[in-house]
């Protein structure tokens, strides 16, 4: 139902910052939680950060804690991922997603609406 469009990806050097944006075609209040996932070459999707639409209980995978921050702008139907101190291992296609179901672990199979992805490349 909802369309999600990511932007902000690109090529950066290790240690740099990048802010990803996700534009939703409808209010994110229609959903239980939103999140960012990534898929490196040859790998499965993994949860990067998820947050309930109420803003409670944000999740960050251990490898990005302290470096990444998820936020929402409900008035403009936006979801952001601020990424600081980027590392080469952060390189992946990053996807914005939303779920109409209750999710507990920021797992891909908990999410039913997905964007097309935006490429993040980190050089060293």
């Amino acid at each position: 139902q909802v369309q999600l469009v990511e932007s902000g990806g690109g090529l950066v050097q290790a240690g740099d910052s990048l802010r990803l944006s996700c534009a939703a075609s409808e209010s994110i209040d229609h959903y239980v939680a939103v999140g960012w996932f990534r898929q490196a070459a040859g790998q499965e999707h993994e949860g990067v950060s998820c947050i309930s639409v109420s803003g409670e209980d944000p999740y960050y995978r251990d490898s990005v804690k302290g470096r990444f921050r998820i936020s929402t702008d409900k008035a403009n139907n936006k979801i952001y991922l601020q990424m600081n101190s980027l590392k080469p291992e952060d390189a992946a296609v990053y996807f914005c997603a939303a779920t109409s179901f209750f999710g507990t672990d920021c797992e891909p199979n908990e999410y039913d609406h997905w964007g097309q992805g935006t490429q993040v490349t980190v050089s060293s």
Side-chain angles (χ1 to χ4, degrees):
Q1 183 176 344
V2 65
Q3 292 189 21
L4 302 170
V5 181
E6 303 93 335
S7 62
L11 173 63
V12 298
Q13 291 187 311
D16 285 351
S17 297
L18 202 60
R19 190 190 194 195
L20 304 183
S21 297
C22 174
S25 62
E26 63 186 41
S27 174
I28 61 174
D29 280 331
H30 294 169
Y31 303 94
V32 175
V34 295
W36 289 92
F37 298 79
R38 65 189 182 189
Q39 184 179 34
Q43 302 296 117
E44 296 184 343
H45 292 259
E46 63 180 21
V48 178
S49 182
C50 295
I51 191 169
S52 68
V53 295
S54 69
E56 298 177 357
D57 300 322
Y59 164 88
Y60 298 92
R61 70 181 301 106
D62 287 344
S63 62
V64 308
K65 286 181 178 177
R67 298 191 296 121
F68 291 11
R69 188 176 72 186
I70 190 171
S71 62
T72 61
D73 180 354
K74 292 184 178 181
N76 292 293
N77 300 336
K78 296 289 187 65
I79 307 158
Y80 300 103
L81 184 68
Q82 178 66 45
M83 305 185 293
N84 298 325
S85 302
L86 282 160
K87 303 175 180 180
E89 52 262 44
D90 293 318
V93 177
Y94 282 71
F95 298 88
C96 176
T99 180
S100 300
F101 314 117
F102 179 79
T104 59
D105 299 314
C106 198
E107 292 289 338
N109 61 9
E110 298 174 338
Y111 285 73
D112 53 336
H113 305 285
W114 293 80
Q116 83 292 339
T118 185
Q119 177 72 52
V120 173
T121 304
V122 185
S123 63
S124 60

